[in-house]
Amino acid sequence: MMTLLQALVASSTFAGVAGRSLWSTKPATHAWRKSDDYLLKNAYPVGNGKLGGVEKAVLNIDSLWSGGPFQSEDYNGGNPDEPKYWALPDIRAEIFSNGTGSVAPLLGSGDAYGAYQTLGNLTVSIEGVQDYKNYKRVLDLETGVHTSTYEVDGAELSTVVFCTYPDEVCVYHISSSETLPEITVSYENVLVDEDLYDKSCEEGLVRVKGKTQAGPPEGLKYDAIARVTKCSGAKTECDGSSLRVQAPQGQRSITIVHGADTNFDQTKGNAENDYSFKGQDPAEYVERVTKNAAAKSYKRLLQSHTDDYGCLESAFTLDLPDPNGSANVETAELIAGYTAESAGDPFLEALLFDYSRHLLITSSRPGSLPANLQGRWTEELWPAWSADYHANINLQMNYWAADQTGLSETQDGLWDYMELNWAPRGSETAELLYGGEGWVVHNEMNIWGFTAMKEGESWAHYPASAAWMMQHVWDNFDYTRDVAWFKRQGYPLIKGVGRFWLSQLQEDGFFEDGTLVVNPCSSPEHGPTTFGCAHYQQEIHRTFDTVLSGASFAEEDDEDFLEQVRDALGKLDKGFHVTEWGGVKEWKLPDSYGYDEKSDHRHLSHLTGWHPGYSLSSYHSGYGTNETIQDAVRETLIARGDGNAGDANAGWAKVWRAACWARLNDTEQAHFHLRYAIQENFVGNGFSMYSGQYEPFQIDANFGLGGAVLSMLVVDLPLAHDAPVDAVRTVVLGPAIPAAWRDGSVKGLRVRGGGTVDFSWDDEGVVDKASVEGLKSKVRFVNVKGEVVVKG
């Protein structure tokens, strides 16, 4: 008997291979992680934000984490027991005196940090399935439905799997052209201690309850139920902890719904609740949602899912040609044969762009936690880097494509996470480590309010992460113009970060040039602990400008705070200086100190003001008229290379380079780096791996590819807060569209000010037609040649 383990494969109502689908004629298999047959190199993912799954039915819950207060009773988010800010005067004095120094007295510990972990497998075994033929599995990106079809002894079988956001469950539908054979359903997880994992069977369902540790303290509780729907009409019988399902004669389909939850409660992550994060036992919720879903027909469950998913997916369309007939080639074969030296494959590039949006829709929805380093999909208890939230590029990159492609609501969980998980304990971190106001977080965050620093100075010392994230907060408002949200949640987040940096800036005691700089600072994972790091200065520049741009919308009445921001912004070093060899300086230190030599390091931290930010590209007119900035950015990108150097062969580094080159209107380089990322880091199921095509799976390059493509399609930069009221903003359509994408089009692109634009281009990639709707500000749309294509 062949075992079909699935919680993410789907089928026949969407038979055939649509142009916007990933497909294969080989089943996904469990295999050694370094093997090409490794599950996360082959299986296709589905999810509804809270729940996720991949073929072979590996299941995930967004909040299933080890660690935190469920592991250690004295867990404190990494914060020290006593203030450490007393060390700052000496740290700052040493750095201003010598140029560099150390923040060793401020470092902390990652004890009880924990990790995101798998729930386990849902095993669905079909009696008699041994020899099969004509196998095909398809992930339809237009519907978010996964289909597997195959033939056994003359019968045609299919499985359809999707995770529905409206009904809060994953659905597993099995159908046959003949009476269904007996099916056995069970949960399993061989990775956890049996004492922590209780499987059971009741009439019509199987269940697993568990906890992350026995205690004390008692670990996080989780609960999952797989229930046969009432409409299936099948007879069920328990066999130990497994459920045997027998369809009556003539019954050709059954439907199983899977629901799961934990007792994690993000609203309890504050001082009032002793940072417990402890909510209600998940049993009642899981019973309720699975009962409700099981009372519905499969057709009704599918319709509500496709209506919901389709509304988001169809909000934006990128239409590129398929000159090679690639839609008829298996996805893994397409990716394996793709090379950067070729002209590329517009079909595959568009498919991976669509895939990036699918991954965001399925891993981040209102009410869920944000997409983590693996989105929502892991098969491990200790995935790489805990599958946590790294906020020195990775978390940011996850959401690069959200606002412009009509997926702003996928960020709702991100805003809640920052408000409820970062800010409460982050305000304590600001006080204990820096003697500061507002709130701060660092590079690595879990779901337990870890806001302090871990042990390693070069990567843990990164208090600029929240400032960078405030770009996403502002962009969400700028694209949606949701004033009510901005007043309630967006602006208070920005203000808290602005207050922190007002309390930390220092007059430059090294150059004594009257400017305000950050001391101490460390450019992410690169270089010394010093002062005036370009990345910090650029992000604070944009944060302060955002405060002033947003104050009137938020009806800010704290004039003293606004005056402090204006004063600090006027004195702030804006983070742009040029090296002797012509690149952007990463540190303010003189070149003679030897740090700003040419480097091919994976990070482009000193270019965040160019992309994805706009301190350099917009506020300093770098994109439009400042050739000094453009030349320095170009030299920096040339020096940084192709993103495959001694420090890493990471996909996210390559797509970041592609986006930066696109903002220089360099089509050839932008397209090359996009192609190089696909060649080096993307595997058979379209996932991106961190080390070339070797594990671990890390999803940021999948999302970043979407952002890089958008950078080739549009340059849409905000004006500074002090721009004239009647200023007309210019949006460039098609700044770096390669000729290989000839005669393509875009529908539903969001632009700042709340409007949308549709446009198309000729066989040379030059936009020649456009139409706009719903703009709430003055915009002038031009193509890459500067020709006006439409006025908004």
Side-chain angles (χ1 to χ4, degrees), residues 392-393 397 400 468 523-526 534-535 538-539 584-586 599-613 616 633-643 647 652-661 673:
N392 64 7
I393 177 57
M397 188 174 282
W400 272 7
W468 192 353
S523 199
E525 304 183 40
H526 191 209
H535 171 68
Q538 292 167 17
E539 292 308 314
V584 178
K585 287 181 63 62
E586 193 161 358
S599 168
D600 57 7
H601 194 270
R602 64 191 181 280
H603 280 265
L604 300 176
S605 303
H606 51 322
L607 297 188
T608 59
W610 179 255
H611 185 281
L616 300 182
V633 169
R634 184 176 294 104
E635 290 303 315
T636 303
L637 290 172
I638 292 171
R640 277 302 204 250
D642 59 18
D647 64 317
W652 60 261
K654 301 177 184 67
V655 294
W656 194 357
R657 284 158 171 75
C660 286
W661 279 111
H673 284 82

Side-chain angles (χ1 to χ4, degrees), residues 167-483:
D167 288 298
E168 303 175 77
V169 295
C170 293
V171 177
Y172 187 100
H173 181 74
I174 308 170
S175 61
S176 173
S177 61
E178 300 178 2
T179 300
L180 277 176
E182 184 174 281
I183 294 169
T184 303
V185 183
S186 62
Y187 283 112
E188 65 176 0
N189 189 338
V190 299
L191 301 179
V192 301
D193 191 317
E194 291 183 358
D195 294 338
L196 301 176
Y197 192 83
D198 180 35
K199 299 183 293 183
S200 62
C201 177
E202 303 173 30
E203 182 179 353
L205 64 87
V206 290
R207 188 171 198 165
V208 60
K209 291 185 176 184
K211 51 191 174 184
T212 52
Q213 71 175 36
E218 183 180 50
L220 182 78
K221 292 182 179 180
Y222 56 92
D223 197 340
I225 291 175
R227 190 186 297 267
V228 179
T229 65
K230 293 181 179 181
C231 300
S232 296
K235 178 182 177 181
T236 63
E237 181 180 350
C238 290
D239 181 6
S241 60
S242 299
L243 183 71
R244 294 206 304 267
V245 184
Q246 181 65 58
Q249 185 64 33
Q251 178 75 31
R252 297 184 177 184
S253 66
I254 67 164
T255 304
I256 301 164
V257 297
H258 155 78
D261 200 9
T262 74
N263 64 333
F264 170 81
D265 187 343
Q266 195 167 233
T267 67
K268 302 296 175 59
N270 49 45
E272 292 78 7
N273 290 280
D274 199 26
Y275 296 102
S276 71
F277 289 96
K278 188 173 184 178
Q280 299 296 315
D281 189 292
E284 186 279 330
Y285 167 82
V286 175
E287 291 169 2
R288 173 171 51 83
V289 297
T290 56
K291 282 181 181 178
N292 290 344
K296 298 180 180 180
S297 68
Y298 166 69
K299 182 177 180 181
R300 185 176 172 189
L301 291 168
L302 179 63
Q303 189 65 57
S304 63
H305 163 70
T306 54
D307 286 349
D308 168 74
Y309 177 96
C311 182
L312 292 172
E313 188 279 335
S314 64
F316 179 90
T317 302
L318 170 63
D319 185 13
L320 297 184
D322 183 9
N324 305 319
S326 296
N328 298 313
V329 180
E330 292 191 39
T331 307
E333 182 180 341
L334 272 182
I335 294 174
Y338 186 96
T339 65
E341 288 72 26
S342 70
D345 184 339
F347 172 83
L348 179 60
E349 291 152 19
L351 182 68
L352 291 174
F353 175 85
D354 291 341
Y355 194 37
S356 74
R357 298 183 70 244
H358 166 81
L359 294 171
L360 187 55
I361 294 169
T362 52
S363 65
S364 186
R365 296 295 299 271
S368 79
L369 287 165
N372 61 41
L373 281 178
Q374 293 191 199
R376 191 60 69 229
W377 303 280
T378 185
E379 86 291 13
E380 300 179 72
L381 296 184
W382 289 98
W385 297 286
S386 298
D388 67 2
Y389 299 98
H390 275 47
N392 64 7
I393 177 57
N394 314 91
L395 178 59
Q396 289 87 348
M397 188 174 282
N398 283 5
Y399 290 91
W400 272 7
D403 286 312
Q404 290 175 294
T405 70
L407 299 183
S408 290
E409 73 171 58
T410 64
Q411 299 173 116
D412 286 3
L414 178 62
W415 316 139
D416 291 343
Y417 178 70
M418 289 193 287
E419 178 187 4
L420 301 174
N421 201 297
W422 284 5
R425 196 151 237 157
S427 63
E428 295 185 2
T429 303
E431 171 60 28
L432 291 167
L433 292 189
Y434 300 97
E437 300 177 3
W439 61 277
V440 67
V441 296
H442 293 82
N443 179 34
E444 297 185 18
M445 275 77 68
N446 55 21
I447 69 167
W448 310 120
F450 190 95
T451 53
M453 281 187 263
K454 286 187 177 179
E455 303 87 350
E457 182 162 349
S458 65
W459 46 269
H461 176 224
Y462 181 61
S465 57
W468 192 353
M469 289 304 301
M470 291 309 102
Q471 176 188 329
H472 289 262
V473 175
W474 174 254
D475 285 353
N476 183 69
F477 169 69
D478 213 7
Y479 282 99
T480 65
R481 291 302 167 108
D482 186 342
V483 175

